[in-house]
Amino acid sequence: MVNIAILGCGTVGSGVFEIINTNQEIVNFKAGKELKIKYVLDLRDFPGSPIQDVLVRDINTIVEDPEVEVVVEAMGGVEPAYTYVKSALLAGKSVCTSNKELVAKHGAELLRIAAEHNRNFLFEASVGGGIPIIRPLNQHLTADKICEITGILNGTTNYILTKMYKEGLDFNTVLKEAQDLGYAEKDPTADIEGFDACRKIAILASLANGKSVDFEDVYTEGITKITDIDFKYADKMGRSIKLLGKCKLEDDGIVVSVSPRLLAPEHPLFHVSGVVNGVLVRGNVVGDLVFIGSGAGKLPTASAIVSDVVDAVRHLNVTTTIQWEEEKLEVLDFSKSKKQFFVRVLGQDKNKVESAFGNVTYVDAGIQNELGFITESMSENSYEEKAAKLDGIITRIRVEA
């Protein structure tokens, strides 16, 4: 028998508890051992629930119990999760988590501590919820150089953009609906400003390159400036607008970013709609692989955590190597990366547009007193220099190649 402790019994923690108990027979079979939840750490009471029977308030009860082999961290946030997880690893326990903030900030360090104690720090659920993406990157694509990872990594923003596209609604209307449906938090800042996707692409970029990508170095732009008018132009171009996290190997280095992009129908993520997430991985040998599924939610996320629990039980005294060093990976300045831009500008003076940007392709969406156009490929710096010469720019959206 292998004893497990769960830290935090909110949405995800209660999902882990539910899956291990409901699917006990199949989980035990796949783990090769009987799993037992010995403790649940939470400050609340759960009257009438079996959780109450194993409820504890003090983390030391778990850390100091030699019978606990695997700890599930489902608290969220950096603290006290980091302190608790580090204590558990130092005490010789494996840890499984879905905490993207924790992994993005301390992942490499916690992996090192786990390895030093022949245990594991596993975090499959931290990026794609129920989508298996960490394990494929770590175990199945070891023969490839990862040239690009592009992901729709946040279900809230994808839901909002999908509704705006399909129903012609404005941003604030759809955000309110997403909040009413429980797809967006009361404070949606982390989602709509791209911070959630930023941490996730930083994790994927670190795993793909074996060194630490600091999420604070990732250019991050959310969706708050996207309007229903932008979608009228997108429709004329036959494109969709998605918030993408990208890690791409370019000629001069690795570029990591989060921003809205215009996708063509042939792009593998074009049709990923609603709260669904999708990740494109491009290897120099295997080519394109696409992972699509539920990126959040109680049971999809909990399912991914339980898969890590099973993996941890299978490797109780063996570290499953994850190549992610604490050494920082220097990423290319985003301002030097090249792409095309879709631009909207007030007025109808094409001479001024072409004087500033040179050759452009105009897009007519029937909008009065403005022009929409696509630039040639240029660096971010070059775009800013040209844009400074043209008054009345309403918005610009990057065009995905």
Side-chain angles (χ1 to χ4, degrees), residues 38-339:
K38 187 172 183 180
Y39 302 113
V40 172
L41 177 75
D42 207 290
L43 297 178
R44 298 165 296 174
D45 285 313
F46 298 84
S49 168
I51 294 170
Q52 188 69 32
D53 298 333
V54 293
L55 193 65
V56 295
R57 314 285 191 195
D58 186 354
I59 185 62
N60 292 320
T61 303
I62 295 168
V63 171
E64 295 172 4
D65 187 341
E67 293 185 349
V68 174
E69 301 270 19
V70 181
V71 172
V72 172
E73 187 277 309
M75 303 172 68
V78 176
E79 285 292 356
Y82 168 67
T83 299
Y84 290 0
V85 166
K86 186 174 180 179
S87 296
L89 291 171
L90 290 171
K93 307 176 192 304
S94 290
V95 175
C96 308
T97 184
S98 62
N99 189 336
K100 56 193 170 286
E101 294 174 274
L102 173 67
V103 178
K105 190 170 182 64
H106 297 291
E109 177 196 1
L110 295 173
L111 282 167
R112 173 180 55 77
I113 294 171
E116 289 171 353
H117 291 79
N118 290 322
R119 291 295 170 131
N120 289 289
F121 177 61
L122 303 173
F123 44 91
E124 181 64 66
S126 66
V127 172
I131 302 173
I133 183 63
I134 304 296
R135 199 169 280 109
L137 273 178
N138 182 51
Q139 297 181 9
H140 307 304
L141 296 172
T142 53
D144 279 69
K145 175 188 287 186
I146 304 301
C147 303
E148 178 182 340
I149 300 175
T150 297
I152 296 171
L153 302 172
N154 183 275
T156 298
T157 51
N158 203 44
Y159 173 83
I160 291 171
L161 294 174
T162 299
K163 291 283 285 188
M164 291 176 70
Y165 175 67
K166 291 185 175 180
E167 301 181 18
L169 300 173
D170 67 90
F171 174 80
N172 289 325
T173 297
V174 181
L175 173 59
K176 176 65 166 58
E177 181 179 318
Q179 290 172 316
D180 291 342
L181 292 171
Y183 295 148
E185 300 288 342
K186 184 177 181 180
D187 179 0
T189 303
D191 294 326
I192 64 176
E193 295 292 355
F195 303 147
D196 176 79
C198 168
R199 285 165 173 78
K200 292 174 179 177
I201 195 62
I203 293 169
L204 294 178
S206 298
L207 292 171
N209 295 283
K211 296 180 181 179
S212 294
V213 173
D214 189 338
F215 65 87
E216 294 181 349
D217 292 339
V218 176
Y219 174 85
T220 304
E221 181 181 320
I223 65 169
T224 56
K225 296 179 181 178
I226 302 296
T227 71
D228 51 326
I229 303 299
D230 294 323
F231 280 102
K232 294 183 185 296
Y233 283 100
D235 187 53
K236 283 296 180 181
M237 290 183 274
R239 290 176 175 264
S240 62
I241 302 174
K242 305 290 186 184
L243 183 69
L244 299 184
K246 285 183 66 68
C247 168
K248 187 175 182 180
L249 179 61
E250 297 192 357
D251 293 339
D252 298 325
I254 296 166
V255 180
V256 189
S257 66
V258 173
S259 66
R261 305 264 180 153
L262 281 155
L263 273 63
E266 58 268 24
H267 194 283
L269 302 180
F270 177 86
H271 293 291
V272 178
S273 300
V275 294
V276 174
N277 284 191
V279 182
L280 163 68
V281 179
R282 181 165 290 156
N284 70 328
V285 177
V286 75
D288 289 358
L289 299 175
V290 183
F291 304 81
I292 297 173
S294 298
K298 176 179 179 176
L299 294 181
T301 303
S303 175
I305 292 178
V306 174
S307 75
D308 276 347
V309 170
V310 168
D311 199 13
V313 171
R314 287 174 174 173
H315 302 90
L316 278 180
N317 297 298
V318 179
T319 299
T320 58
T321 305
I322 296 178
Q323 299 294 338
W324 180 356
E325 297 177 3
E326 292 176 77
E327 179 185 350
K328 184 176 179 179
L329 178 69
E330 295 299 329
V331 298
L332 185 67
D333 186 341
F334 185 67
S335 66
K336 298 179 182 178
S337 65
K338 292 184 177 181
K339 60 193 69 69

Side-chain angles (χ1 to χ4, degrees), residues 9-41:
C9 201
T11 300
V12 175
S14 63
V16 172
F17 189 93
E18 180 180 335
I19 290 174
I20 290 178
N21 284 283
T22 302
N23 288 356
Q24 192 169 51
E25 185 176 342
I26 190 170
V27 171
N28 289 347
F29 173 74
K30 291 183 176 180
K33 296 179 184 292
E34 181 183 353
L35 307 187
K36 177 187 174 183
I37 299 174
K38 187 172 183 180
Y39 302 113
V40 172
L41 177 75

